[in-house]
Amino acid sequence: MGGKCPHRKVKKRRFSNKRARRSNFLLKGNDLVFDELKKLTEGEQMKPLPLNEDLPGMGQFYCAHCDRYFADEEVRGEHYRSKRHKKRVKEMNGPSPHRQLDAELAAGMGMPDNGPKLMTMSLSPSLSLPS
Amino acid sequence: MRLEKCWFCSSTVYPGHGIQFVRNDAKIFRFCRSKCHKNFKMKRNPRKVKWTKAFRRLHGKDMTQDSTFEFERKRNRPERYDRNVTMETLKAIKKIDKIRVAREARHHKMRMKGKKGIEQKAAERELEQGISLVKAPLALREESSLTLSKIKVKVSQPQAEYQMEE
């Protein structure tokens, strides 16, 4: 949690509520949400949401597509029916969001070259020995 | 010295230029100028903004697949300095650049192939529809020699279509 203002002279006002609360409402980047959803569709399991009293509804009612927390089941259901959510679902089901790699490929660069794989020479004998 | 590419428009970011944003998961976003940075902050998708390289690639405006793209790439394993190799590389850069420019020019030419005909046709149609603005309809009726040639073209096309339908 942020929100500390150490340079404030007045002790009482050293803690900025606005800054402390801001991180609750910061949204994740598109690429992060996309990766998370991909993991969900592959793994088919969602971790139980941790209780967080700073979030609406103790952080229990979450929309993975929009990266938002809701007060209860009903409000979340309402959100699922909204146009904004549907738009977002459509976007997230589409192609992968733009990343740095896409930017580089578009600039006419090839795929990054990481050189020959390290440790392959030392690994293979050790693997072959026990067998 | 590494020349990075702008996250938004894919142009080269030289050292000392632009700005970079580090997200709280340590991902780095580099921008070549404030224009790109602002567009990023507005959460615009580079694939939907017409002036970015990502858009141009996606919509076939630029070359997409070419063997000259294989040379410039991020090399994450440092290479031992060798004077001869460096000299050869510097020589090759010029040659490859020339080839790429020529191929891009060819691609552009191919892309613009049918453009002149389309423009000509559009202009003809505009003239046909707006001829009354140039010459009053009454004057045209009195002196038909003014637009005779154009009328000929106009009439011949529908006739051909009717024959096809029949």
Side-chain angles (χ1 to χ4, degrees):
Chain A
M1 292 305 279
K4 208 122 196 263
C5 302
H7 302 301
R8 280 264 172 87
K9 285 274 158 54
V10 188
K11 209 173 187 184
K12 223 178 170 182
R13 285 189 232 128
R14 266 188 197 165
F15 213 76
S16 158
N17 190 38
K18 190 183 172 189
R19 272 171 68 185
R21 300 258 302 151
R22 191 184 287 157
S23 63
N24 288 343
F25 300 102
L26 275 179
L27 296 182
K28 265 190 243 164
N30 275 0
D31 49 338
L32 281 182
V33 172
F34 185 85
D35 289 344
E36 210 101 307
L37 284 170
K38 207 176 173 191
K39 252 186 243 165
L40 279 183
T41 49
E42 281 169 5
E44 296 289 333
Q45 229 166 36
M46 205 167 163
K47 278 180 205 161
L49 292 161
L51 282 174
N52 186 348
E53 58 185 8
D54 290 325
L55 289 172
M58 301 290 277
Q60 293 303 294
F61 306 99
Y62 181 60
C63 170
H65 288 91
C66 309
D67 185 34
R68 277 179 68 185
Y69 293 92
F70 297 93
D72 54 38
E73 192 80 59
E74 199 181 321
V75 181
R76 191 175 61 177
E78 211 166 275
H79 164 75
Y80 281 157
R81 270 177 270 119
S82 70
K83 201 171 181 177
R84 190 177 166 192
H85 173 76
K86 280 172 190 164
K87 224 176 183 177
R88 183 90 186 153
V89 169
K90 202 174 162 193
E91 197 190 330
M92 285 297 125
N93 285 339
S96 169
H98 185 81
R99 289 157 208 255
Q100 184 64 41
L101 180 65
D102 297 314
E104 273 160 19
L105 291 182
M109 281 168 86
M111 288 298 275
D113 175 18
N114 294 329
K117 254 187 191 165
L118 291 177
M119 312 292 287
T120 43
M121 293 296 281
S122 57
L123 260 178
S124 49
S126 64
L127 282 173
S128 57
L129 273 175
S131 61
Chain B
M1 187 176 77
R2 185 171 258 185
L3 301 181
E4 303 285 353
K5 296 289 181 213
C6 174
W7 184 88
F8 200 83
C9 72
S10 309
S11 64
T12 312
V13 185
Y14 286 87
H17 288 254
I19 197 167
Q20 74 177 21
F21 164 62
V22 184
R23 217 210 262 147
N24 61 4
D25 65 339
K27 282 246 163 62
I28 296 175
F29 299 82
R30 286 192 182 79
F31 304 102
C32 60
R33 46 188 160 165
S34 60
K35 180 185 181 183
C36 293
H37 188 215
K38 280 175 192 161
N39 273 279
F40 172 77
K41 284 193 282 192
M42 282 192 271
K43 292 185 186 280
R44 286 209 179 130
N45 187 354
R47 285 178 192 156
K48 290 185 180 173
V49 179
K50 287 199 175 173
W51 50 268
T52 65
K53 276 278 172 199
F55 178 95
R56 294 186 63 79
R57 262 306 165 77
L58 209 63
H59 292 78
K61 310 286 181 198
D62 285 342
M63 270 193 310
T64 43
Q65 284 173 333
D66 201 82
S67 52
T68 54
F69 293 151
E70 294 302 307
F71 297 105
E72 189 189 355
R73 62 211 296 215
K74 210 182 241 177
R75 275 162 236 275
N76 292 328
R77 195 70 47 77
E79 210 143 298
R80 185 176 287 278
Y81 175 73
D82 183 348
R83 193 189 162 92
N84 291 335
V85 170
T86 313
M87 295 306 280
E88 296 256 303
T89 314
L90 286 176
K91 257 186 233 161
I93 285 174
K94 280 175 201 155
K95 205 181 239 175
I96 291 161
D97 203 43
K98 215 183 247 176
I99 293 170
R100 183 192 274 200
V101 167
R103 284 184 184 172
E104 259 159 22
R106 202 192 308 149
H107 180 265
H108 184 259
K109 209 175 163 191
M110 288 294 283
R111 191 157 73 79
M112 294 296 168
K113 218 176 171 186
K115 187 116 193 290
K116 225 169 190 182
I118 292 169
E119 270 176 359
Q120 180 81 18
K121 229 175 235 177
E124 268 172 22
R125 200 183 309 130
E126 196 183 353
L127 190 67
E128 214 171 272
Q129 285 171 350
I131 191 70
S132 61
L133 301 174
V134 182
K135 208 84 190 173
L138 211 85
L140 274 181
R141 221 176 291 155
E142 279 171 3
E143 203 180 335
S144 56
S145 65
L146 284 172
T147 52
L148 241 188
S149 60
K150 238 154 250 153
I151 284 170
K152 252 184 192 168
V153 174
K154 203 165 53 175
V155 171
S156 68
Q157 276 175 340
Q159 273 179 351
E161 276 171 23
Y162 288 141
Q163 281 168 1
M164 289 290 280
E165 279 167 19
E166 283 162 7

